[in-house]
């Protein structure tokens, strides 16, 4: 378990929701400082809240603990790919690696 990788993942998830640390903190009933600590790798969500964090960011607890998404058995890292949406190419912040 890599706390820095987890922190970067949580930060990216928050940015994808286009919300501030304070907004995430308010939604999860924690302080902004707690969100900051998670995102800088100084700590990770406690077992008592990790399921709420996963639900809030629409990921699994396993994905949080690994610091990356899993889709169809493939690891997805925080990079950019182009995704087609309504006929328009759109940059996404992930790419597949095996």
């Amino acid at each position: 378990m890599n706390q820095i990788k987890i922190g970067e993942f949580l930060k990216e998830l928050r940015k994808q929701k286009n919300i501030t640390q304070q907004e995430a903190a308010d939604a999860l009933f924690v302080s902004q400082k707690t969100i900051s600590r998670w995102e800088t790798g100084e700590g990770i969500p406690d077992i008592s809240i990790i399921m709420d964090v996963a639900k809030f960011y629409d990921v699994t607890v396993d994905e949080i603990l690994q610091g990356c998404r899993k889709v169809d058995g493939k690891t997805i890292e925080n990079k950019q790919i182009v995704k087609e949406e309504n006929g328009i190419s759109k940059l996404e912040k992930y790419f597949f690696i095996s």
Side-chain angles (χ1 to χ4, degrees):
M1 188 168 53
N2 182 329
Q3 284 187 203
I4 300 296
K5 188 174 180 182
I6 291 169
E8 290 171 355
F9 182 58
L10 291 172
K11 183 176 183 177
E12 188 59 39
L13 292 171
R14 179 181 56 78
K15 286 184 173 190
Q16 286 178 5
K17 287 180 80 81
N18 199 28
I19 61 173
T20 65
Q21 286 184 342
Q22 187 61 57
E23 290 169 325
D26 292 345
L28 294 167
F29 303 102
V30 297
S31 70
Q32 180 273 326
K33 192 171 184 176
T34 297
I35 299 294
S36 177
R37 285 184 183 141
W38 294 346
E39 291 184 0
T40 58
E42 294 177 32
I44 61 172
D46 186 75
I47 191 80
S48 64
I49 193 174
I50 199 163
M51 290 179 68
D52 293 330
V53 174
K55 185 176 180 179
F56 179 72
Y57 287 126
D58 195 27
V59 295
T60 66
V61 171
D62 185 53
E63 288 172 323
I64 290 174
L65 295 176
Q66 291 187 21
C68 61
R69 286 192 186 261
K70 298 278 185 177
V71 175
D72 297 329
K74 294 182 180 178
T75 300
I76 303 174
E77 294 291 340
N78 295 335
K79 301 293 177 190
Q80 295 185 335
I81 62 168
V82 175
K83 178 182 177 185
E84 197 71 23
E85 187 173 289
N86 298 326
I88 300 170
S89 293
K90 172 182 162 184
L91 285 177
E92 285 290 325
K93 299 215 180 228
Y94 297 100
F95 77 94
F96 290 94
I97 60 171
S98 45

